[in-house]
Amino acid sequence: MSISLLAIFDFIGTVAFAISGAITGIHKKMDIFGVNILAIITACGGGLTRDIVMGNFPPQMFIDPFYVVVAAIIANIVFFLMYYRKGVPVKFSGIYDKGLFISDTLGLAAFMVDGVMIGANFGYEDDLFLLVFLGFITGVGGGVLRDVLSNQMPAIFVKHVYALPVIVGGIVMVIMHDLMHTWSAAMVISFALVILLRFMARHFLWNLPKVEL
């Protein structure tokens, strides 16, 4: 069950982050090539970074390009939908902003689960710090690369406790596995927890403290 469940989370994360990357590329006025590259980097960049950290060479995205193809397909669907609609009507801009938030949140939650599970499958079940870090870097890595390539401050540093829910979700996932001795329930609960924390942060305008100059 865990394997099929992990595949579902992989697919959810890839589609969600591909949408996020494509929308960002379109808003930055990139051409169709740029939109595709940004969508693929956003969808696969976290896994790429995770594999480099783990010394897993070549990274999985180059061995099995299935999710690269999925990201490219999603990017082109988003591009042509917005191309033929001539961009985003002003009255619908809030809907697109909300869609970007939702796709980002689903991607973060799904890839957090993916990162923890990949670490566990590599034999690191007893290393809480490594598992949480792998969940964290898989969850936020693609978004950081997206923001850097689109010339904006990475959301991880400024926005609605972007990264903190991923860290909390990873910790909860590992602890729940230790308590229940099953990954399936831990995956689902921690996935839901990340989404809940992100929506609460957006609703209540939670942000980590920073110095106002």
Side-chain angles (χ1 to χ4, degrees), residues 6-7 9-10 46-47 50 108-121 134-135 138 173 187:
L6 182 59
F9 282 121
D10 274 344
R50 177 202 63 222
L108 283 170
F111 280 150
M112 179 278 297
V113 170
D114 176 77
V116 173
M117 286 306 304
I118 292 296
N121 290 339
L134 292 175
T138 308
M173 182 173 167
M187 290 163 72

Side-chain angles (χ1 to χ4, degrees), residues 33-210:
F33 181 78
V35 169
N36 272 267
I37 293 300
L38 202 63
I40 291 170
I41 287 295
T42 309
C44 302
L48 173 65
T49 308
R50 177 202 63 222
D51 287 346
I52 292 173
V53 169
M54 296 181 66
N56 184 25
F57 296 111
Q60 188 64 29
M61 66 177 287
F62 299 113
I63 297 174
D64 180 7
F66 172 75
Y67 291 111
V68 175
V69 174
V70 170
I73 291 172
I74 296 299
N76 283 285
I77 290 173
V78 173
F79 180 88
F80 283 110
L81 281 174
M82 296 184 72
Y83 180 82
Y84 287 113
R85 290 178 179 272
K86 303 300 179 185
V88 183
V90 174
K91 64 180 180 180
F92 294 134
S93 60
I95 296 175
Y96 278 89
D97 289 342
K98 189 173 293 186
L100 186 61
F101 169 80
I102 292 172
S103 61
D104 242 10
T105 298
L106 289 174
L108 283 170
F111 280 150
M112 179 278 297
V113 170
D114 176 77
V116 173
M117 286 306 304
I118 292 296
N121 290 339
F122 266 75
Y124 299 111
E125 278 194 13
D126 298 325
D127 193 333
L128 184 145
F129 179 77
L130 178 60
L131 290 182
V132 173
F133 177 77
L134 292 175
F136 169 77
I137 201 65
T138 308
V140 306
V144 170
L145 292 172
R146 174 202 63 206
D147 293 342
V148 170
L149 290 175
S150 59
N151 195 31
Q152 58 189 15
M153 175 68 75
I156 182 178
F157 299 131
V158 295
K159 199 174 183 182
H160 299 310
V161 290
Y162 189 94
L164 195 58
V166 181
I167 297 173
V168 173
I171 293 171
V172 169
M173 182 173 167
V174 175
I175 291 175
M176 291 199 67
H177 169 259
D178 289 342
L179 293 175
M180 300 186 300
H181 305 291
T182 174
W183 281 114
S184 298
M187 290 163 72
V188 173
I189 292 172
S190 59
F191 174 79
L193 176 62
V194 173
I195 293 173
L196 176 63
L197 290 174
R198 282 279 289 161
F199 272 87
M200 289 179 67
R202 181 182 174 92
H203 179 75
F204 293 108
L205 301 179
W206 292 342
N207 280 295
L208 297 178
K210 53 188 173 184

